[in-house]
Amino acid sequence: GEDVEQSLFLSVREGDSSVINCTYTDSSSTYLYWYKQEPGAGLQLLTYIFSNMDMKQDQRLTVLLNKKDKHLSLRIADTQTGDSAIYFCAETTGRRALTFGSGTRLQVQP
Amino acid sequence: NAGVTQTPKFRILKIGQSMTLQCTQDMNHNYMYWYRQDPGMGLKLIYYSVGAGITDKGEVPNGYNVSRSTTEDFPLRLELAAPSQTSVYFCASSWGQGVTEAFFGQGTRLTVV
């Protein structure tokens, strides 16, 4: 079955760039997402990318997709303390519900 | 806009008790989902629904039941609570699958003792 893996924790200093990585197993994955979860809250969509794209940029966020290696990354430029949260990678073929990774806890130190 | 509303936010159950987690959405979404989130384990799909009257099992359906009598509501029922069901439960909805965004409720933190 499909599987999505992420590292559990990342710590960066305020102002640095953060890179959160994700790998997935389903080669049919068509839509790939990054969701953000702040403490005590549900998940909110940050950005998404189609499998026919290599890169997507949205303000401070850059998503890179290596379809050959089934590797997705999220880069946050100029990381702020407000970016501290858990970031989930998720994917779907479009014919089933989202499959989520275990989440990466980003800690931003002042 | 209320979005996806879950109740209750917190609940403590004794082993063997039953309860229903409520979920309602006001976006007229066809698709609704129940996930559970265990620490360090990500979200696992329990049940989902593609429209009123249609439900299907996800990855971890054992010990749960659902119904979808209306587009808006998708309650999750625990019949005989077990400690293994201690988790945070999230309801979500979306217009479709694929590129459409899934909207999540705030979650229900359930502890079974």
Side-chain angles (χ1 to χ4, degrees):
Chain A
E2 56 276 359
D3 194 20
V4 179
E5 294 193 356
Q6 301 177 238
S7 54
L8 289 182
F9 186 75
L10 176 66
S11 180
V12 299
R13 291 199 179 277
E14 194 173 17
D16 287 350
S17 291
S18 307
V19 179
I20 301 171
N21 294 302
C22 168
T23 58
Y24 59 97
T25 58
D26 191 344
S27 57
S28 300
S29 296
T30 305
Y31 309 95
L32 299 115
Y33 304 81
W34 286 103
Y35 277 81
K36 178 182 181 182
Q37 183 184 32
E38 295 183 353
L43 281 69
Q44 286 192 304
L45 180 65
L46 267 184
T47 186
Y48 65 89
I49 190 168
F50 296 119
S51 61
N52 62 356
M53 299 166 66
D54 297 324
M55 185 182 86
K56 181 178 180 182
Q57 191 151 2
D58 184 2
Q59 299 182 330
R60 292 189 298 120
L61 305 179
T62 302
V63 179
L64 294 177
L65 174 61
N66 181 329
K67 196 176 177 186
K68 175 177 167 289
D69 294 338
K70 301 192 198 67
H71 182 267
L72 183 73
S73 68
L74 173 70
R75 179 176 180 270
I76 305 173
D78 186 26
T79 313
Q80 303 298 305
T81 54
D83 294 325
S84 293
I86 302 176
Y87 291 81
F88 289 91
C89 172
E91 60 80 31
T92 180
T93 60
R95 292 183 296 278
R96 53 169 169 77
L98 291 170
T99 298
F100 286 87
S102 55
T104 300
R105 182 179 296 274
L106 175 64
Q107 181 182 72
V108 182
Q109 298 177 344
Chain B
N1 287 335
V4 179
T5 303
Q6 288 182 240
T7 55
K9 286 189 170 54
F10 304 95
R11 184 72 186 267
I12 298 175
L13 275 184
K14 293 186 178 177
I15 293 171
Q17 285 186 320
S18 301
M19 77 164 294
T20 299
L21 281 67
Q22 301 291 346
C23 175
T24 188
Q25 53 94 7
D26 63 358
M27 297 171 282
N28 203 32
H29 284 166
N30 290 325
Y31 291 76
M32 295 188 75
Y33 314 86
W34 275 105
Y35 288 90
R36 58 177 287 172
Q37 182 183 27
D38 299 324
M41 298 294 289
L43 280 77
K44 300 292 184 186
L45 182 67
I46 306 171
Y47 270 95
Y48 68 99
S49 169
V50 301
I54 306 169
T55 63
D56 209 345
K57 295 178 181 179
E59 189 179 355
V60 290
N62 291 345
Y64 307 94
N65 277 300
V66 293
S67 59
R68 184 94 183 271
S69 56
T70 66
T71 300
E72 295 79 18
D73 300 307
F74 190 41
L76 178 71
R77 177 90 179 152
L78 284 71
E79 289 295 348
L80 291 168
S84 61
Q85 294 176 304
T86 294
S87 189
V88 180
Y89 291 84
F90 287 100
C91 179
S93 74
S94 65
W95 181 81
Q97 296 189 116
V99 73
T100 58
E101 178 179 355
F103 292 83
F104 282 78
Q106 298 276 62
T108 297
R109 185 175 294 275
L110 175 67
T111 303
V112 182
V113 296

